[in-house]
């Protein structure tokens, strides 16, 4: 019955026929009822699952609102425009700058926001320099995927609700891998820059027109800031302005990141306090504060709702003993030499699995089985989760199941098939290097 619940849930999520909240709530309940468990017992299972995810839910709600406020007041706009100007129209600097801009843009953990900030800003620069839009998309997707290891990102939050650890604990464990991955992103960006420079040199050698219009990066940067200001003007918000506000916003953000890295506080209260401070500092009137909360509430509650539904899914599978039985069955047929490395094997296949499963299906269905099975061979929950996060997170924005990717493709005017042909081998190779590196350094033990 446990396998049936998982397979049906995964199948429905893959086909996109049902919202995750419906699938992860109703199918486990139906399975529990069929196997003889009563309503009271199912309610208890949900309560146990809820205890595991409540901290994650609170963190998601206030993290999304927090970074939404920073976007509303344009805190990152000067950084992005400065990086655009710093490229000076040099192909190598453009690809390196693209990676840097995407890393900064994805600090909020939202793929949609990242594509909305980066693609419209950089596409004119790429077109003016005759560079491939697929290079732009791949670099933004790769950079955002690496930054998705942050505790308020989707993968870490989902994994935390499964292995009974806080997102902050998982992030601190992942920090060495994330630091190495960021370095690798810039190496990939440099490789793209070299390849694009050679391609453009060959193009020029066969071109009858030797004169090309110089690229004005200052105009492109100014256009980006103007478009961002116009977007914010639609919401009729009147935030405080001035250097002191920017300094305070920056100080609050750096302090928050410091708290998260140090582990002084769990993420949920840290983001709650940070959100309250940003609201008080940036919006003097109650009406503006209410407007900001109303505007970001749909995104925050949508993610929170999925995690709350996952509490039912995980609570039933765990409380009824279904997960344990699935793991025991796997252990019975796996040779010891393979079972001890099951989490590593699944991690190495993380990017291809992301093309075949949704993020919810991967973390809420596959991870619990791998965790339970690996535990029998002496692997810690953190080691199993790390292997699956590091292996899978790089493919976050390669999968057709990512709504944010479709947004990015639309903004860039690109084709999904061609994009996957360019991005998939790079992202999978990137992922394999990360998983093997994490395994060699003992992070997956």
């Amino acid at each position: 019955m446990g396998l049936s619940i998982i397979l049906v849930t995964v199948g429905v999520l893959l086909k996109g026929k049902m919202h995750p909240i419906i699938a992860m709530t109703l199918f486990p309940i139906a399975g529990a009822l069929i196997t003889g468990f009563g309503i009271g017992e199912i309610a208890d299972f949900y309560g146990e699952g809820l205890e595991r995810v409540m901290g994650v839910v609170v963190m998601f709600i206030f993290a999304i609102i927090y970074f939404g406020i920073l976007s509303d007041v344009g805190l990152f706009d000067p950084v992005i425009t400065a990086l655009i100007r710093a490229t000076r129209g040099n192909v190598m600097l453009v690809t390196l700058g693209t990676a840097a801009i995407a890393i900064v843009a994805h600090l909020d953990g939202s793929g949609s926001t990242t594509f909305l900030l980066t693609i419209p800003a950089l596409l004119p620069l790429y077109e003016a320099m005759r560079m491939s839009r697929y290079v732009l998309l791949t670099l933004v997707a790769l950079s955002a995927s690496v930054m998705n290891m942050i505790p308020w990102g989707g993968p870490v939050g989902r994994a935390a609700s499964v292995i009974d650890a806080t997102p902050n604990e998982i992030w601190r464990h992942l920090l060495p891998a994330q630091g190495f991955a960021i370095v690798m992103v810039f190496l990939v960006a440099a490789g793209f820059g070299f390849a694009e420079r050679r391609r453009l040199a060959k193009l020029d050698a066969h071109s009858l027109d030797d004169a090309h219009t110089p690229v004005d990066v200052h105009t492109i940067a100014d256009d980006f800031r103007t478009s961002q200001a116009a977007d914010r003007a639609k919401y009729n918000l009147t935030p405080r302005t001035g250097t002191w506000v920017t300094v305070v916003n920056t100080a609050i953000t750096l302090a928050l990141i410091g708290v998260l890295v140090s582990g002084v506080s769990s993420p949920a209260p840290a983001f709650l306090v940070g959100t309250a401070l940003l609201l008080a500092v940036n919006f003097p009137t109650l009406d503006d504060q209410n407007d900001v909360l109303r505007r970001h509430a749909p995104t925050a509650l949508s993610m929170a709702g999925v995690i709350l539904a996952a509490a039912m899914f995980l609570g039933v599978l765990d409380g009824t003993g279904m997960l344990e039985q699935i793991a025991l069955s796997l252990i019975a047929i796996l040779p010891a030499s393979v079972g001890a490395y099951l989490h590593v094997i699944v991690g190495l296949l993380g990017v291809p699995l992301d093309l075949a499963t949704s993020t919810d299906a991967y973390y809420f269905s596959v991870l619990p089985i791998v965790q339970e099975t690996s535990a029998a061979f002496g692997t810690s929950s953190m080691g199993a989760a790390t292997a699956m996060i590091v292996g899978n997170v790089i493919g976050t924005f390669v999968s057709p199941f990512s709504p944010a990717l479709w947004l990015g493709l639309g903004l860039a005017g690109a084709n999904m098939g061609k994009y996957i042909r360019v991005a998939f081998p790079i992202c999978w190779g990137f992922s394999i290097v990360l998983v093997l590196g994490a395994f060699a350094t003992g992070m997956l033990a």
Side-chain angles (χ1 to χ4, degrees), residues 191-237:
F192 266 127
F194 179 75
E196 281 294 278
R197 193 162 59 188
R198 289 191 62 184
R199 183 182 69 82
L200 292 172
K202 289 181 180 178
L203 199 65
D204 288 338
H206 294 88
S207 176
L208 299 176
D209 181 13
D210 294 326
H212 296 292
T213 305
V215 178
D216 187 353
V217 292
H218 298 286
T219 299
I220 293 171
D222 291 339
D223 288 344
F224 167 74
R225 296 199 70 166
T226 301
S227 67
Q228 291 299 109
D231 286 342
R232 283 189 282 271
K234 298 175 185 176
Y235 301 112
N236 298 317
L237 296 174

Side-chain angles (χ1 to χ4, degrees), residues 59-366:
M59 180 206 70
F60 265 118
I61 291 173
F62 289 107
I64 289 169
I65 295 172
Y66 182 92
F67 285 103
I69 293 171
L70 292 185
S71 179
D72 289 338
V73 300
L75 182 69
F76 301 126
D77 288 2
V79 178
I80 293 174
T81 52
L83 287 169
I84 292 173
R85 291 191 176 101
T87 63
R88 300 197 304 273
N90 181 292
V91 171
M92 185 71 74
L93 291 178
V94 167
T95 55
L96 292 171
T98 299
I101 290 170
I103 286 170
V104 172
H106 201 72
L107 280 172
D108 67 344
S110 167
S112 299
T113 301
T114 302
F115 284 114
L116 282 168
L117 282 173
T118 55
I119 302 298
L122 293 172
L123 186 59
L125 180 63
Y126 272 70
E127 289 178 336
M129 296 184 64
R130 298 170 299 147
M131 294 174 66
S132 169
R133 66 190 66 223
Y134 292 96
V135 169
L136 168 60
L137 271 170
T138 303
L139 284 175
V140 171
L142 192 59
S143 303
S145 296
V146 166
M147 289 303 292
N148 229 16
M149 294 186 204
I150 51 181
W152 52 92
V156 173
R158 288 174 172 87
S161 65
V162 172
I163 71 166
D164 198 20
T166 68
N168 217 29
E169 289 170 344
I170 297 176
W171 184 42
R172 290 206 304 273
H173 187 74
L174 286 172
L175 272 175
Q178 188 176 31
F180 178 61
I182 290 172
V183 173
M184 284 180 61
V185 166
F186 285 106
L187 291 176
V188 171
F192 266 127
F194 179 75
E196 281 294 278
R197 193 162 59 188
R198 289 191 62 184
R199 183 182 69 82
L200 292 172
K202 289 181 180 178
L203 199 65
D204 288 338
H206 294 88
S207 176
L208 299 176
D209 181 13
D210 294 326
H212 296 292
T213 305
V215 178
D216 187 353
V217 292
H218 298 286
T219 299
I220 293 171
D222 291 339
D223 288 344
F224 167 74
R225 296 199 70 166
T226 301
S227 67
Q228 291 299 109
D231 286 342
R232 283 189 282 271
K234 298 175 185 176
Y235 301 112
N236 298 317
L237 296 174
T238 54
R240 288 191 177 100
T241 56
T243 304
W244 73 271
V245 179
T246 302
V247 171
V248 172
N249 287 336
T250 304
I252 293 172
T253 302
L254 291 175
L256 176 61
I257 293 173
V259 166
L260 295 175
V261 173
S262 66
V264 173
S265 167
S266 61
F271 275 109
L272 170 59
V273 173
T275 300
L277 289 172
L278 284 189
L279 283 170
V281 168
N282 292 278
F283 300 99
T285 69
L286 178 60
D287 286 342
D288 274 351
Q289 292 167 3
N290 284 331
D291 286 343
V292 169
L293 291 173
R294 276 194 295 266
R295 194 154 72 81
H296 297 295
T299 304
L301 293 177
S302 176
M303 177 61 74
V306 171
I307 301 295
L308 289 171
M312 178 64 79
F313 184 82
L314 296 169
V316 168
L317 288 176
D318 196 22
T320 57
M322 293 177 185
L323 273 184
E324 183 181 2
Q325 290 302 315
I326 293 170
L328 289 173
S329 300
L330 279 174
I331 292 166
I333 61 173
L334 281 176
S337 57
V338 174
Y341 302 105
L342 176 64
H343 60 306
V344 181
I345 295 168
V346 175
L348 290 171
L349 297 172
V351 172
L353 281 173
D354 213 35
L355 290 177
T357 64
S358 67
T359 303
D360 292 321
Y362 183 82
Y363 286 100
F364 295 137
S365 299
V366 180

